Amino acid sequence: MNKSDGISQFFIRNAVPLVFLVVSAVAIPISQFSPSYLIQELLIRLSRNAFLVLSLLIPIMAGMGLNFGMVLGAMAGQIGLIFVCDWNIVGVQGLLLAAIISTPLAILFGFLCGIVLNKAQGREMVTSYILGFFMNGVYQLVVLYGFGSLVPIVSAKLLLSRGYGIRNVTNLDGMRRSLDELIPLNIAGIEIPVATFLLIGIFCLFVLWFRKTKLGQDMRATGQDMVVARSAGIRVMRTRIISIVISTVLACYGQIVFLQNVGTMNTYNSHEQAGVFAIAALLVGGATVSRASILNVFTGIILFHLVFIVSPMAGKYLLGDAQIGEYFRVFISYGIIALALVLHAWRRMNDKERARAQFRGAEGGAA
Amino acid sequence: MSIKRVCINLGLVLCLAGLIAWCVLTGKAYDIVLENTPTTVAGAEQPALEAVHVIIDKQEPVLMLEGDRIISTAIGVKHKIRIDVLDEDDKVLESRSHTYTIHDLGTPPTLNIPAVFAASKAEK
Protein backbone atom coordinates (compact mmCIF):
# COMPACT_ATOMS: atom_id res chain seq x y z
CA MET A 1 0.00 0.00 0.00
CA ASN A 2 1.51 3.35 -1.05
CA LYS A 3 1.24 6.68 0.81
CA SER A 4 -1.74 8.07 -1.15
CA ASP A 5 -3.58 4.77 -0.63
CA GLY A 6 -2.89 5.06 3.11
CA ILE A 7 -4.26 8.61 3.24
CA SER A 8 -7.36 7.72 1.26
CA GLN A 9 -7.90 4.67 3.51
CA PHE A 10 -7.63 6.95 6.57
CA PHE A 11 -10.27 9.31 5.15
CA ILE A 12 -12.54 6.44 4.18
CA ARG A 13 -12.24 4.83 7.62
CA ASN A 14 -12.84 8.09 9.46
CA ALA A 15 -15.26 9.72 7.03
CA VAL A 16 -18.12 10.01 9.52
CA PRO A 17 -16.20 11.54 12.47
CA LEU A 18 -14.40 13.91 10.09
CA VAL A 19 -17.69 15.13 8.59
CA PHE A 20 -19.03 15.75 12.09
CA LEU A 21 -15.84 17.50 13.11
CA VAL A 22 -16.14 19.86 10.15
CA VAL A 23 -19.87 20.47 10.77
CA SER A 24 -19.18 21.21 14.46
CA ALA A 25 -16.25 23.50 13.62
CA VAL A 26 -18.51 25.51 11.30
CA ALA A 27 -21.61 25.48 13.53
CA ILE A 28 -20.01 26.37 16.90
CA PRO A 29 -19.04 29.97 16.02
CA ILE A 30 -22.38 30.50 14.24
CA SER A 31 -24.36 29.29 17.28
CA GLN A 32 -22.62 31.93 19.48
CA PHE A 33 -22.67 29.66 22.53
CA SER A 34 -20.09 30.37 25.23
CA PRO A 35 -17.41 27.70 25.82
CA SER A 36 -18.58 27.17 29.42
CA TYR A 37 -22.15 26.50 28.25
CA LEU A 38 -20.93 24.04 25.63
CA ILE A 39 -18.72 22.23 28.14
CA GLN A 40 -21.56 22.01 30.68
CA GLU A 41 -23.99 20.67 28.09
CA LEU A 42 -21.45 18.18 26.78
CA LEU A 43 -20.69 16.89 30.28
CA ILE A 44 -24.40 16.42 30.98
CA ARG A 45 -24.96 14.60 27.72
CA LEU A 46 -21.82 12.51 28.12
CA SER A 47 -22.91 11.35 31.57
CA ARG A 48 -26.45 10.76 30.32
CA ASN A 49 -25.63 8.71 27.24
CA ALA A 50 -22.28 7.01 27.78
CA PHE A 51 -23.72 4.01 29.61
CA LEU A 52 -26.24 3.32 26.85
CA VAL A 53 -23.65 3.62 24.10
CA LEU A 54 -21.12 1.47 25.97
CA SER A 55 -23.70 -1.31 26.19
CA LEU A 56 -23.39 -1.72 22.41
CA LEU A 57 -19.74 -2.76 22.51
CA ILE A 58 -20.10 -6.37 23.60
CA PRO A 59 -22.44 -7.58 20.81
CA ILE A 60 -20.16 -5.92 18.24
CA MET A 61 -17.27 -7.84 19.77
CA ALA A 62 -19.29 -11.06 19.32
CA GLY A 63 -19.92 -10.24 15.66
CA MET A 64 -23.62 -9.50 16.11
CA GLY A 65 -23.41 -5.96 14.81
CA LEU A 66 -25.27 -3.04 16.32
CA ASN A 67 -27.71 -4.28 18.91
CA PHE A 68 -30.93 -2.49 18.02
CA GLY A 69 -32.48 -4.89 20.53
CA MET A 70 -31.09 -2.72 23.31
CA VAL A 71 -34.53 -1.09 23.45
CA LEU A 72 -35.66 -4.27 25.20
CA GLY A 73 -33.26 -3.48 28.01
CA ALA A 74 -34.50 0.10 28.05
CA MET A 75 -38.06 -1.20 28.43
CA ALA A 76 -37.00 -3.38 31.36
CA GLY A 77 -35.38 -0.36 33.01
CA GLN A 78 -38.54 1.68 32.56
CA ILE A 79 -40.69 -1.06 34.10
CA GLY A 80 -38.38 -1.04 37.11
CA LEU A 81 -38.71 2.73 37.36
CA ILE A 82 -42.53 2.53 37.18
CA PHE A 83 -42.59 0.14 40.14
CA VAL A 84 -40.19 2.27 42.14
CA CYS A 85 -42.30 5.36 41.46
CA ASP A 86 -45.38 3.48 42.57
CA TRP A 87 -43.73 2.46 45.83
CA ASN A 88 -42.54 6.02 46.27
CA ILE A 89 -38.88 5.14 46.74
CA VAL A 90 -36.68 8.09 45.94
CA GLY A 91 -33.03 9.04 45.52
CA VAL A 92 -30.19 6.69 44.72
CA GLN A 93 -32.02 3.95 46.61
CA GLY A 94 -34.85 4.24 44.09
CA LEU A 95 -32.43 3.92 41.17
CA LEU A 96 -30.72 0.94 42.77
CA LEU A 97 -34.03 -0.78 43.45
CA ALA A 98 -35.20 -0.08 39.89
CA ALA A 99 -31.99 -1.68 38.63
CA ILE A 100 -32.50 -4.72 40.89
CA ILE A 101 -36.12 -5.15 39.80
CA SER A 102 -35.39 -4.75 36.12
CA THR A 103 -32.32 -7.00 35.98
CA PRO A 104 -34.24 -10.33 35.79
CA LEU A 105 -36.57 -8.81 33.19
CA ALA A 106 -33.61 -7.58 31.12
CA ILE A 107 -31.96 -11.00 31.37
CA LEU A 108 -35.17 -12.64 30.15
CA PHE A 109 -35.57 -10.16 27.28
CA GLY A 110 -31.91 -10.51 26.34
CA PHE A 111 -32.14 -14.29 26.40
CA LEU A 112 -35.20 -14.32 24.15
CA CYS A 113 -33.57 -11.77 21.85
CA GLY A 114 -30.40 -13.89 21.71
CA ILE A 115 -32.37 -17.00 20.77
CA VAL A 116 -34.17 -15.14 17.97
CA LEU A 117 -30.91 -13.61 16.68
CA ASN A 118 -29.27 -17.02 16.62
CA LYS A 119 -32.02 -18.15 14.26
CA ALA A 120 -31.31 -15.14 12.04
CA GLN A 121 -27.56 -15.38 11.62
CA GLY A 122 -26.15 -12.78 9.24
CA ARG A 123 -29.23 -10.58 9.59
CA GLU A 124 -28.93 -9.77 13.29
CA MET A 125 -29.28 -6.01 12.99
CA VAL A 126 -32.49 -5.91 11.01
CA THR A 127 -33.90 -8.75 13.11
CA SER A 128 -33.12 -6.97 16.37
CA TYR A 129 -34.58 -3.76 14.95
CA ILE A 130 -37.87 -5.45 14.11
CA LEU A 131 -37.78 -7.38 17.39
CA GLY A 132 -37.59 -4.00 19.10
CA PHE A 133 -40.79 -2.91 17.32
CA PHE A 134 -42.51 -6.17 18.23
CA MET A 135 -41.54 -5.93 21.89
CA ASN A 136 -42.58 -2.30 21.89
CA GLY A 137 -46.09 -3.49 21.08
CA VAL A 138 -45.98 -6.05 23.88
CA TYR A 139 -44.61 -3.42 26.29
CA GLN A 140 -47.37 -0.97 25.38
CA LEU A 141 -50.03 -3.65 25.80
CA VAL A 142 -48.72 -4.63 29.23
CA VAL A 143 -48.18 -1.09 30.50
CA LEU A 144 -51.39 0.31 29.02
CA TYR A 145 -53.73 -2.53 30.00
CA GLY A 146 -51.90 -4.81 32.44
CA PHE A 147 -50.57 -2.24 34.91
CA GLY A 148 -53.22 -1.34 37.44
CA SER A 149 -55.36 -4.35 36.54
CA LEU A 150 -53.22 -7.51 36.50
CA VAL A 151 -50.11 -5.88 37.94
CA PRO A 152 -50.98 -4.00 41.13
CA ILE A 153 -50.24 -0.27 40.96
CA VAL A 154 -51.53 1.76 43.88
CA SER A 155 -50.38 5.30 43.14
CA ALA A 156 -53.15 7.39 41.61
CA LYS A 157 -50.47 9.75 40.25
CA LEU A 158 -49.26 7.00 37.92
CA LEU A 159 -52.55 5.52 36.81
CA LEU A 160 -54.81 6.82 34.07
CA SER A 161 -58.15 8.19 35.25
CA ARG A 162 -59.94 5.00 34.11
CA GLY A 163 -58.11 3.09 36.89
CA TYR A 164 -55.65 1.01 34.91
CA GLY A 165 -52.76 1.75 32.55
CA ILE A 166 -49.86 4.10 33.20
CA ARG A 167 -50.02 7.76 32.26
CA ASN A 168 -48.09 9.05 29.23
CA VAL A 169 -45.56 10.85 31.41
CA THR A 170 -44.10 9.38 34.58
CA ASN A 171 -42.62 11.97 36.88
CA LEU A 172 -39.24 10.96 38.27
CA ASP A 173 -38.87 14.03 40.47
CA GLY A 174 -37.84 11.98 43.50
CA MET A 175 -34.95 10.44 41.57
CA ARG A 176 -34.09 13.35 39.30
CA ARG A 177 -30.31 13.81 39.11
CA SER A 178 -29.90 11.82 42.32
CA LEU A 179 -26.92 9.93 40.90
CA ASP A 180 -25.47 12.98 39.16
CA GLU A 181 -25.58 14.99 42.38
CA LEU A 182 -24.45 12.19 44.69
CA ILE A 183 -20.90 13.57 44.70
CA PRO A 184 -21.27 17.26 43.92
CA LEU A 185 -18.36 19.00 42.23
CA ASN A 186 -18.41 22.47 40.75
CA ILE A 187 -15.39 23.82 38.88
CA ALA A 188 -15.60 27.40 37.58
CA GLY A 189 -19.40 27.24 37.52
CA ILE A 190 -19.45 23.93 35.65
CA GLU A 191 -21.21 21.13 37.48
CA ILE A 192 -19.53 17.76 37.07
CA PRO A 193 -21.61 14.62 37.75
CA VAL A 194 -18.76 12.77 39.45
CA ALA A 195 -20.74 9.72 40.61
CA THR A 196 -22.13 9.08 37.12
CA PHE A 197 -18.68 9.39 35.59
CA LEU A 198 -17.31 7.01 38.22
CA LEU A 199 -19.98 4.50 37.24
CA ILE A 200 -19.12 4.96 33.57
CA GLY A 201 -15.43 4.54 34.42
CA ILE A 202 -16.18 1.28 36.22
CA PHE A 203 -18.13 0.14 33.18
CA CYS A 204 -15.18 0.95 30.90
CA LEU A 205 -12.87 -1.04 33.17
CA PHE A 206 -15.39 -3.88 33.07
CA VAL A 207 -15.33 -3.86 29.25
CA LEU A 208 -11.51 -3.85 29.21
CA TRP A 209 -11.37 -6.67 31.77
CA PHE A 210 -14.10 -8.62 30.02
CA ARG A 211 -12.17 -8.67 26.73
CA LYS A 212 -9.34 -10.51 28.48
CA THR A 213 -11.53 -13.17 30.09
CA LYS A 214 -12.15 -16.59 28.54
CA LEU A 215 -15.70 -15.53 27.62
CA GLY A 216 -14.45 -12.30 26.09
CA GLN A 217 -11.87 -14.17 24.00
CA ASP A 218 -14.59 -16.60 22.92
CA MET A 219 -16.73 -13.67 21.84
CA ARG A 220 -13.91 -12.16 19.82
CA ALA A 221 -13.23 -15.49 18.17
CA THR A 222 -16.93 -15.90 17.41
CA GLY A 223 -17.05 -12.38 16.01
CA GLN A 224 -14.10 -13.02 13.70
CA ASP A 225 -15.22 -16.35 12.29
CA MET A 226 -18.01 -18.51 13.65
CA VAL A 227 -16.92 -21.64 11.78
CA VAL A 228 -13.36 -21.43 13.10
CA ALA A 229 -14.64 -20.64 16.59
CA ARG A 230 -16.93 -23.67 16.49
CA SER A 231 -14.07 -25.91 15.34
CA ALA A 232 -11.99 -24.57 18.22
CA GLY A 233 -14.60 -25.94 20.62
CA ILE A 234 -16.32 -22.65 21.45
CA ARG A 235 -20.05 -22.92 22.07
CA VAL A 236 -20.85 -20.22 19.55
CA MET A 237 -24.63 -19.99 20.03
CA ARG A 238 -24.32 -19.80 23.82
CA THR A 239 -21.59 -17.15 23.53
CA ARG A 240 -23.78 -15.05 21.23
CA ILE A 241 -26.75 -15.30 23.59
CA ILE A 242 -24.59 -14.26 26.55
CA SER A 243 -23.32 -11.22 24.62
CA ILE A 244 -26.89 -10.08 23.94
CA VAL A 245 -27.95 -10.74 27.54
CA ILE A 246 -25.05 -8.63 28.86
CA SER A 247 -25.81 -5.87 26.38
CA THR A 248 -29.52 -5.86 27.28
CA VAL A 249 -28.84 -5.75 31.01
CA LEU A 250 -26.35 -2.90 30.56
CA ALA A 251 -28.80 -1.05 28.31
CA CYS A 252 -31.37 -1.42 31.08
CA TYR A 253 -29.00 0.24 33.57
CA GLY A 254 -28.10 2.81 30.93
CA GLN A 255 -31.74 3.76 30.48
CA ILE A 256 -32.13 4.18 34.26
CA VAL A 257 -29.06 6.45 34.34
CA PHE A 258 -30.40 8.35 31.32
CA LEU A 259 -33.86 8.88 32.80
CA GLN A 260 -32.61 9.95 36.24
CA ASN A 261 -30.73 12.70 34.45
CA VAL A 262 -33.76 13.79 32.42
CA GLY A 263 -36.15 13.61 35.38
CA THR A 264 -39.27 12.60 33.46
CA MET A 265 -40.10 9.44 31.62
CA ASN A 266 -42.15 9.33 28.48
CA THR A 267 -43.72 5.99 29.39
CA TYR A 268 -44.48 4.84 25.85
CA ASN A 269 -41.70 6.49 23.84
CA SER A 270 -38.52 6.99 25.89
CA HIS A 271 -37.10 3.58 25.04
CA GLU A 272 -37.71 3.99 21.29
CA GLN A 273 -35.21 6.81 21.04
CA ALA A 274 -32.59 5.05 23.18
CA GLY A 275 -31.45 2.61 20.52
CA VAL A 276 -31.28 4.95 17.53
CA PHE A 277 -29.45 7.76 19.32
CA ALA A 278 -26.97 5.43 21.03
CA ILE A 279 -26.17 3.65 17.78
CA ALA A 280 -25.89 6.90 15.84
CA ALA A 281 -23.51 8.30 18.48
CA LEU A 282 -21.33 5.18 18.33
CA LEU A 283 -21.16 5.32 14.52
CA VAL A 284 -20.31 9.01 14.58
CA GLY A 285 -17.35 8.10 16.78
CA GLY A 286 -15.87 6.09 13.93
CA ALA A 287 -17.13 2.67 14.96
CA THR A 288 -18.36 0.25 12.37
CA VAL A 289 -20.77 -2.65 12.45
CA SER A 290 -17.87 -4.99 13.14
CA ARG A 291 -15.41 -2.85 15.12
CA ALA A 292 -15.95 -0.51 18.05
CA SER A 293 -13.87 0.68 20.96
CA ILE A 294 -14.31 2.76 24.10
CA LEU A 295 -12.60 5.65 22.30
CA ASN A 296 -15.28 5.48 19.58
CA VAL A 297 -17.94 5.73 22.28
CA PHE A 298 -16.63 8.94 23.82
CA THR A 299 -15.60 10.54 20.53
CA GLY A 300 -19.01 9.71 19.12
CA ILE A 301 -21.00 11.10 22.04
CA ILE A 302 -18.99 14.32 22.05
CA LEU A 303 -19.24 14.92 18.29
CA PHE A 304 -22.85 13.79 17.92
CA HIS A 305 -24.14 15.82 20.85
CA LEU A 306 -22.01 18.81 19.99
CA VAL A 307 -23.88 18.99 16.71
CA PHE A 308 -27.14 18.40 18.59
CA ILE A 309 -26.44 21.30 20.92
CA VAL A 310 -25.30 23.83 18.35
CA SER A 311 -27.48 22.96 15.36
CA PRO A 312 -30.77 24.62 16.52
CA MET A 313 -29.05 27.94 17.28
CA ALA A 314 -26.83 27.71 14.21
CA GLY A 315 -29.97 27.06 12.15
CA LYS A 316 -31.69 30.04 13.78
CA TYR A 317 -28.81 32.46 13.09
CA LEU A 318 -28.20 31.13 9.59
CA LEU A 319 -31.76 30.70 8.34
CA GLY A 320 -33.82 32.52 10.96
CA ASP A 321 -35.58 29.38 12.16
CA ALA A 322 -34.45 27.10 15.01
CA GLN A 323 -36.77 24.38 13.72
CA ILE A 324 -34.39 23.87 10.78
CA GLY A 325 -31.75 22.83 13.29
CA GLU A 326 -34.23 20.40 14.86
CA TYR A 327 -34.93 18.82 11.48
CA PHE A 328 -31.20 18.63 10.97
CA ARG A 329 -30.81 16.71 14.23
CA VAL A 330 -33.34 14.05 13.26
CA PHE A 331 -31.97 13.90 9.72
CA ILE A 332 -28.47 13.42 11.10
CA SER A 333 -29.33 10.63 13.54
CA TYR A 334 -31.07 8.46 10.96
CA GLY A 335 -28.87 9.56 8.07
CA ILE A 336 -25.69 8.69 9.89
CA ILE A 337 -26.88 5.15 10.60
CA ALA A 338 -27.76 4.71 6.91
CA LEU A 339 -24.40 6.20 5.85
CA ALA A 340 -22.46 3.96 8.24
CA LEU A 341 -24.28 0.86 7.01
CA VAL A 342 -23.66 1.80 3.37
CA LEU A 343 -20.00 2.54 4.11
CA HIS A 344 -19.70 -0.77 5.92
CA ALA A 345 -21.18 -2.70 2.98
CA TRP A 346 -19.00 -0.78 0.52
CA ARG A 347 -15.85 -1.32 2.59
CA ARG A 348 -16.59 -5.02 2.95
CA MET A 349 -17.06 -5.31 -0.81
CA ASN A 350 -13.79 -3.44 -1.39
CA ASP A 351 -11.93 -5.64 1.08
CA LYS A 352 -13.25 -8.75 -0.64
CA GLU A 353 -12.21 -7.47 -4.05
CA ARG A 354 -8.77 -6.51 -2.74
CA ALA A 355 -8.35 -9.93 -1.13
CA ARG A 356 -9.42 -11.60 -4.38
CA ALA A 357 -6.98 -9.47 -6.38
CA GLN A 358 -4.17 -10.32 -3.97
CA PHE A 359 -5.06 -14.00 -4.15
CA ARG A 360 -5.05 -13.85 -8.00
CA GLY A 361 -1.73 -12.03 -7.91
CA ALA A 362 -0.26 -14.67 -5.62
CA GLU A 363 -1.74 -17.43 -7.79
CA GLY A 364 -0.30 -15.80 -10.94
CA GLY A 365 3.08 -15.46 -9.25
CA ALA A 366 3.04 -19.11 -8.22
CA ALA A 367 2.13 -20.20 -11.74
CA MET B 1 -23.73 -28.49 42.96
CA SER B 2 -21.01 -28.37 45.62
CA ILE B 3 -21.70 -27.05 49.13
CA LYS B 4 -19.25 -24.21 48.55
CA ARG B 5 -21.22 -23.07 45.53
CA VAL B 6 -24.52 -23.32 47.40
CA CYS B 7 -23.07 -21.20 50.21
CA ILE B 8 -21.81 -18.58 47.76
CA ASN B 9 -25.19 -18.42 46.00
CA LEU B 10 -26.98 -18.20 49.33
CA GLY B 11 -24.65 -15.39 50.39
CA LEU B 12 -25.35 -13.51 47.19
CA VAL B 13 -29.11 -13.92 47.62
CA LEU B 14 -28.85 -12.66 51.22
CA CYS B 15 -26.77 -9.67 50.07
CA LEU B 16 -29.36 -8.86 47.43
CA ALA B 17 -32.19 -9.18 49.95
CA GLY B 18 -30.27 -6.91 52.33
CA LEU B 19 -29.73 -4.38 49.57
CA ILE B 20 -33.44 -4.39 48.68
CA ALA B 21 -34.37 -3.96 52.36
CA TRP B 22 -31.91 -1.06 52.69
CA CYS B 23 -33.31 0.61 49.58
CA VAL B 24 -36.89 0.32 50.84
CA LEU B 25 -36.17 1.34 54.44
CA THR B 26 -33.98 4.32 53.66
CA GLY B 27 -35.42 5.41 50.33
CA LYS B 28 -39.18 5.28 50.80
CA ALA B 29 -40.77 8.71 50.88
CA TYR B 30 -43.76 9.25 53.16
CA ASP B 31 -46.26 12.06 53.01
CA ILE B 32 -46.70 13.41 56.52
CA VAL B 33 -49.53 15.68 57.58
CA LEU B 34 -48.20 18.50 59.75
CA GLU B 35 -50.85 20.34 61.73
CA ASN B 36 -50.46 23.32 63.98
CA THR B 37 -53.83 23.00 65.73
CA PRO B 38 -54.83 22.86 69.42
CA THR B 39 -54.70 19.39 70.93
CA THR B 40 -54.90 17.60 74.25
CA VAL B 41 -51.88 15.69 75.57
CA ALA B 42 -52.40 13.57 78.74
CA GLY B 43 -55.40 15.69 79.72
CA ALA B 44 -53.57 18.96 79.27
CA GLU B 45 -54.70 21.40 76.60
CA GLN B 46 -51.94 22.39 74.16
CA PRO B 47 -52.76 25.55 72.20
CA ALA B 48 -51.60 26.04 68.61
CA LEU B 49 -48.28 27.84 68.25
CA GLU B 50 -48.40 31.33 66.74
CA ALA B 51 -45.56 30.91 64.22
CA VAL B 52 -43.03 28.12 63.91
CA HIS B 53 -40.41 26.85 61.54
CA VAL B 54 -40.63 23.09 61.15
CA ILE B 55 -37.52 21.32 59.91
CA ILE B 56 -37.68 17.61 59.17
CA ASP B 57 -34.21 16.04 58.93
CA LYS B 58 -32.12 18.37 56.77
CA GLN B 59 -34.93 19.71 54.62
CA GLU B 60 -35.75 23.37 54.09
CA PRO B 61 -37.65 24.95 57.03
CA VAL B 62 -41.42 25.15 56.59
CA LEU B 63 -43.22 28.16 58.10
CA MET B 64 -46.43 27.23 59.88
CA LEU B 65 -48.86 29.69 61.39
CA GLU B 66 -51.61 29.02 63.92
CA GLY B 67 -54.20 26.64 62.45
CA ASP B 68 -52.07 25.61 59.44
CA ARG B 69 -52.26 22.10 58.09
CA ILE B 70 -49.78 21.07 55.39
CA ILE B 71 -48.34 17.95 53.82
CA SER B 72 -44.61 17.41 53.98
CA THR B 73 -42.44 14.58 52.71
CA ALA B 74 -39.98 12.58 54.77
CA ILE B 75 -37.63 9.97 53.35
CA GLY B 76 -36.90 6.85 55.37
CA VAL B 77 -38.35 5.42 58.56
CA LYS B 78 -36.61 7.37 61.34
CA HIS B 79 -36.70 11.15 61.40
CA LYS B 80 -35.71 14.12 63.50
CA ILE B 81 -38.04 17.07 63.62
CA ARG B 82 -36.94 20.47 64.87
CA ILE B 83 -39.46 23.11 65.84
CA ASP B 84 -38.30 26.73 66.02
CA VAL B 85 -40.81 29.00 67.74
CA LEU B 86 -40.64 32.44 66.12
CA ASP B 87 -41.40 35.88 67.53
CA GLU B 88 -43.02 38.81 65.70
CA ASP B 89 -39.72 39.55 63.87
CA ASP B 90 -39.31 35.90 62.84
CA LYS B 91 -36.42 35.47 65.26
CA VAL B 92 -36.11 32.08 66.92
CA LEU B 93 -37.34 32.19 70.54
CA GLU B 94 -36.97 28.53 71.33
CA SER B 95 -35.93 25.38 69.51
CA ARG B 96 -37.01 21.90 70.34
CA SER B 97 -36.28 18.65 68.56
CA HIS B 98 -37.88 15.25 68.60
CA THR B 99 -37.03 11.93 67.02
CA TYR B 100 -39.77 9.64 65.75
CA THR B 101 -40.32 6.72 63.44
CA ILE B 102 -42.95 6.79 60.74
CA HIS B 103 -44.81 3.94 62.47
CA ASP B 104 -45.40 6.15 65.54
CA LEU B 105 -47.51 8.54 63.51
CA GLY B 106 -50.50 6.36 62.64
CA THR B 107 -52.41 6.28 59.35
CA PRO B 108 -52.22 8.68 57.60
CA PRO B 109 -48.96 9.77 59.26
CA THR B 110 -49.84 12.94 61.17
CA LEU B 111 -47.67 15.16 63.36
CA ASN B 112 -49.38 17.61 65.64
CA ILE B 113 -46.81 20.35 66.15
CA PRO B 114 -48.02 21.61 69.59
CA ALA B 115 -48.12 17.99 70.86
CA VAL B 116 -44.61 17.30 69.54
CA PHE B 117 -43.41 20.60 70.97
CA ALA B 118 -44.79 19.73 74.40
CA ALA B 119 -43.28 16.26 74.34
CA SER B 120 -39.86 17.23 73.02
CA LYS B 121 -36.79 18.54 74.77
CA ALA B 122 -35.37 22.03 74.36
CA GLU B 123 -32.20 22.22 72.24
CA LYS B 124 -29.06 23.67 73.79
Side-chain angles (χ1 to χ4, degrees):
Chain A
M1 192 190 287
N2 59 32
K3 201 177 173 184
S4 67
D5 262 5
I7 293 169
S8 64
Q9 278 297 314
F10 172 81
F11 278 103
I12 290 168
R13 281 193 191 284
N14 299 294
V16 181
L18 287 171
V19 167
F20 267 75
L21 207 58
V22 172
V23 171
S24 305
V26 172
I28 289 171
I30 299 171
S31 70
Q32 298 176 16
F33 282 130
S34 67
S36 61
Y37 175 81
L38 279 178
I39 292 169
Q40 178 70 79
E41 279 296 306
L42 271 179
L43 282 175
I44 290 172
R45 283 160 188 263
L46 200 61
S47 68
R48 189 190 287 170
N49 292 284
F51 217 101
L52 276 171
V53 184
L54 279 164
S55 75
L56 291 165
L57 291 182
I58 288 173
I60 291 176
M61 198 164 85
M64 301 184 79
L66 301 161
N67 181 20
F68 283 93
M70 69 182 285
V71 293
L72 273 67
M75 286 175 206
Q78 288 180 191
I79 290 173
L81 283 172
I82 291 172
F83 280 119
V84 167
C85 282
D86 182 43
W87 301 333
N88 212 10
I89 294 165
V90 298
V92 179
Q93 292 93 331
L95 296 178
L96 202 58
L97 193 62
I100 292 170
I101 294 165
S102 49
T103 301
L105 265 178
I107 291 172
L108 178 72
F109 290 167
F111 181 72
L112 295 175
C113 185
I115 289 174
V116 173
L117 296 188
N118 272 346
K119 307 261 183 217
Q121 279 173 37
R123 298 176 300 279
E124 286 92 349
M125 279 191 288
V126 70
T127 310
S128 61
Y129 194 56
I130 298 302
L131 195 65
F133 281 125
F134 166 69
M135 282 306 287
N136 186 28
V138 176
Y139 169 84
Q140 293 198 0
L141 179 77
V142 170
V143 176
L144 200 53
Y145 292 99
F147 276 50
S149 53
L150 294 172
V151 183
I153 297 286
V154 288
S155 171
K157 287 179 196 166
L158 284 178
L159 288 175
L160 290 165
S161 54
R162 67 182 182 195
Y164 60 90
I166 304 295
R167 286 177 194 269
N168 272 338
V169 177
T170 306
N171 197 342
L172 303 176
D173 260 354
M175 282 173 271
R176 188 169 186 271
R177 294 183 63 81
S178 53
L179 181 65
D180 294 344
E181 288 168 358
L182 188 63
I183 306 171
L185 180 66
N186 194 314
I187 298 173
I190 295 169
E191 281 176 31
I192 300 165
V194 180
T196 316
F197 280 125
L198 276 176
L199 199 66
I200 292 164
I202 291 168
F203 189 3
C204 291
L205 289 176
F206 166 76
V207 172
L208 290 175
W209 166 81
F210 185 77
R211 280 183 179 163
K212 290 175 187 161
T213 59
K214 163 83 172 64
L215 188 60
Q217 295 292 337
D218 286 357
M219 278 183 195
R220 287 171 77 171
T222 306
Q224 277 161 12
D225 197 318
M226 275 171 52
V227 179
V228 174
R230 197 174 284 121
S231 347
I234 295 169
R235 292 164 70 188
V236 171
M237 295 304 175
R238 180 178 167 271
T239 309
R240 283 161 57 94
I241 290 176
I242 292 172
S243 80
I244 290 293
V245 169
I246 294 174
S247 173
T248 312
V249 171
L250 294 174
C252 155
Y253 300 155
Q255 183 74 350
I256 293 171
V257 172
F258 178 91
L259 290 172
Q260 66 85 32
N261 180 279
V262 176
T264 50
M265 182 172 85
N266 198 338
T267 314
Y268 300 99
N269 298 106
S270 281
H271 54 278
E272 286 175 10
Q273 298 151 5
V276 172
F277 288 137
I279 287 165
L282 186 64
L283 293 173
V284 167
T288 64
V289 173
S290 54
R291 181 180 51 86
S293 66
I294 292 172
L295 185 68
N296 294 139
V297 171
F298 290 102
T299 315
I301 296 171
I302 290 171
L303 287 175
F304 187 62
H305 286 280
L306 198 57
V307 172
F308 259 39
I309 297 162
V310 297
S311 63
M313 285 311 274
K316 189 185 164 194
Y317 286 122
L318 267 180
L319 305 154
D321 188 1
Q323 198 61 36
I324 298 282
E326 290 291 323
Y327 290 136
F328 186 59
R329 281 152 64 132
V330 178
F331 162 76
I332 277 181
S333 18
Y334 289 102
I336 212 69
I337 294 175
L339 179 68
L341 295 178
V342 170
L343 278 176
H344 175 71
W346 179 64
R347 208 175 293 151
R348 209 164 61 168
M349 205 173 67
N350 267 357
D351 287 348
K352 268 185 189 171
E353 271 175 18
R354 200 177 300 124
R356 203 176 297 145
Q358 276 175 356
F359 177 70
R360 276 193 196 133
E363 224 177 26
Chain B
M1 203 186 276
S2 68
I3 291 181
K4 188 184 170 190
R5 196 159 184 151
V6 171
C7 289
I8 290 170
N9 287 349
L10 201 66
L12 286 173
V13 170
L14 287 175
C15 280
L16 194 67
L19 196 62
I20 292 171
W22 176 77
C23 287
V24 174
L25 289 175
T26 62
K28 189 163 172 64
Y30 297 90
D31 286 340
I32 298 174
V33 180
L34 299 176
E35 51 184 25
N36 187 11
T37 50
T39 187
T40 310
V41 180
E45 185 92 357
Q46 294 293 334
L49 299 163
E50 195 180 312
V52 286
H53 262 162
V54 178
I55 304 153
I56 296 177
D57 300 327
K58 287 172 184 173
Q59 293 177 20
E60 288 288 301
V62 178
L63 177 69
M64 291 188 77
L65 302 176
E66 198 175 341
D68 275 357
R69 203 177 142 88
I70 58 165
I71 292 177
S72 179
T73 305
I75 300 161
V77 175
K78 200 173 177 184
H79 301 283
K80 189 178 177 184
I81 184 169
R82 201 178 93 198
I83 301 166
D84 293 344
V85 180
L86 307 174
D87 66 5
E88 286 169 350
D89 303 321
D90 285 352
K91 282 184 183 160
V92 179
L93 285 175
E94 191 182 351
S95 269
R96 288 192 186 184
S97 60
H98 181 70
T99 306
Y100 63 94
T101 63
I102 217 80
H103 309 296
D104 300 337
L105 305 181
T107 318
T110 308
L111 263 176
N112 185 281
I113 300 299
V116 174
F117 189 75
S120 56
K121 292 173 189 168
E123 268 199 352
K124 284 174 189 171

